[in-house]
Amino acid sequence: GVVQAVADRISVMYAGGIVESAPAELLFSQPLHPYTDLLISAIPEPHKRGTRLHSVPGLAPDPRIGYSGCPFHGRCPIAAEVCARVAPPLVEHAPGHYAACHFTDVLKKRKTVDG
């Protein structure tokens, strides 16, 4: 929450790499990476007082062992087989909004429907 108030641009990192980077307002209103989306849902808010905070399930990959594909695939709620094999590149999806996910379209559609 503090980052949103003080930063103009935010880059979200996972397992040592940037998975999403965007102007702060855009990142919070339309996250395009599942990790970013889960982090935002875990931010405490006054209207959530007394409820259990969301958390990101699972464990991060062990950097000593390494991994193939997307480093987040083992914890990702929308991962598919391709995610375990192929690391997605960091791609510009909108002006200044970059994300490294094979399924950014899933989050785009869900945010459009959910608001």
Side-chain angles (χ1 to χ4, degrees):
V2 172
V3 173
Q4 183 179 13
V6 299
D8 294 328
R9 178 171 198 83
I10 298 171
S11 291
V12 177
M13 296 183 71
Y14 186 81
I18 294 174
V19 294
E20 186 163 4
S21 183
E25 185 176 317
L26 186 56
L27 185 118
F28 278 87
S29 67
Q30 186 163 39
L32 295 179
H33 193 280
Y35 182 58
T36 305
D37 192 48
L38 288 168
L39 288 176
I40 291 169
S41 72
I43 296 172
E45 297 179 46
H47 72 277
K48 295 180 184 176
R49 184 174 227 105
T51 63
R52 186 174 177 85
L53 291 175
H54 290 152
S55 62
V56 179
L59 299 171
D62 185 336
R64 298 170 296 167
I65 296 171
Y67 54 85
S68 61
C70 175
F72 192 60
H73 81 270
R75 302 174 78 184
C76 182
I78 61 172
E81 187 271 332
V82 67
C83 303
R85 290 184 299 105
V86 180
L90 189 64
V91 174
E92 188 173 27
H93 295 275
H97 194 166
Y98 298 83
C101 180
H102 295 293
F103 299 105
T104 55
D105 58 326
V106 172
L107 286 175
K108 282 181 190 177
K109 286 177 188 172
R110 193 176 81 208
K111 291 299 176 181
T112 303
V113 171
D114 294 346

